[in-house]
Amino acid sequence: MELRVLSLYPEQMNIYADRGNILFLRRRCEWRGIGFTWAGAGPGEAVDLAAHDLFYIGGGQDRDQRAVAADMVETKRTALAAAVDDGAALLAVCGGYQLLGESYQLGSETLPGLGLADLWTVREPGPRLIGNVAIETELGGEKRILAGFENHGGRTYLGPSARPLGRVVKGHGNNGGDGLEGVWRDNLLGTYLHGPLLPKNAWLADHLVELALEHRYGTRPTLEPLPDALERAAHASARTAAGL
Ligand code: GLN
């Protein structure tokens, strides 16, 4: 088996340990004897649907999002929508998460989004939403905690057809007001939790690997357990940092 990952705009949308998230996926595959390939698709580059099973969009500052938003809609939207409909996994973090929605409003400027999730983001007056965060999610069929770090000026609002990834236990979440965090639809996930999201929540990395392998091979594999002593410690420390 082989996990095939495509990062969108790895040069532009890449802050706070996005590369570490990819490295963590690679290691968890290698430790289990699962092959791993990675590719990036930058400005103007088309997405080869058949070649990838896990799509990753990392964080980005407003200026990075400005640089990629129109190109993303023009050159990648159709293929990404088809891939997600077909069951490929997509993880979008922070700035990437904001671009999953309909739009990102920055004052008088409106950046277009991919429209893959019923949500929109607005840069409202007020402080950035920064800090350690813990959310409770039922992703994967049981209640679990995702712990991480958030840092965003944009506030995201879910439309009626969107389901949050989880409920905020500690921290701000989508907009600091409604207690919701991220978005989740089957194999599509968006979240404000970055920093080393996957190393702090190893089960989420494995869940993504399973979704992607199921997309390629037709059945969901049972992944071999790993010792995960360091990963459990990283998770515990992230929970503690968030005040749980
Ligand atoms: N530019 C976005 C915001 O500040 C996202 C930032 C990020 O990815 N850290 O709202």
Side-chain angles (χ1 to χ4, degrees), residues 105 122-127 153-155 157 175:
Q105 183 87 41
V122 187
R123 178 59 90 99
E124 294 162 358
R155 270 80 166 154
Y157 298 92
N175 51 55

Side-chain angles (χ1 to χ4, degrees), residues 15-16 59-62 65 93-95 98 104 123 128 151-154 194:
I15 48 175
Y16 290 132
Q61 306 297 354
D62 295 350
Q65 293 167 290
V93 174
C94 203
Q98 294 172 337
Y104 181 18
R123 178 59 90 99
R128 293 182 70 79
N151 180 355
H152 49 110
H194 57 171

Side-chain angles (χ1 to χ4, degrees), residues 37 118 147 171 212 218:
T37 64
D118 181 15

Side-chain angles (χ1 to χ4, degrees), residues 120-143:
W120 66 95
T121 301
V122 187
R123 178 59 90 99
E124 294 162 358
R128 293 182 70 79
L129 305 180
I130 303 176
N132 294 295
V133 49
I135 69 168
E136 186 178 75
T137 177
E138 291 186 36
L139 175 72
E142 58 181 280
K143 279 201 174 127

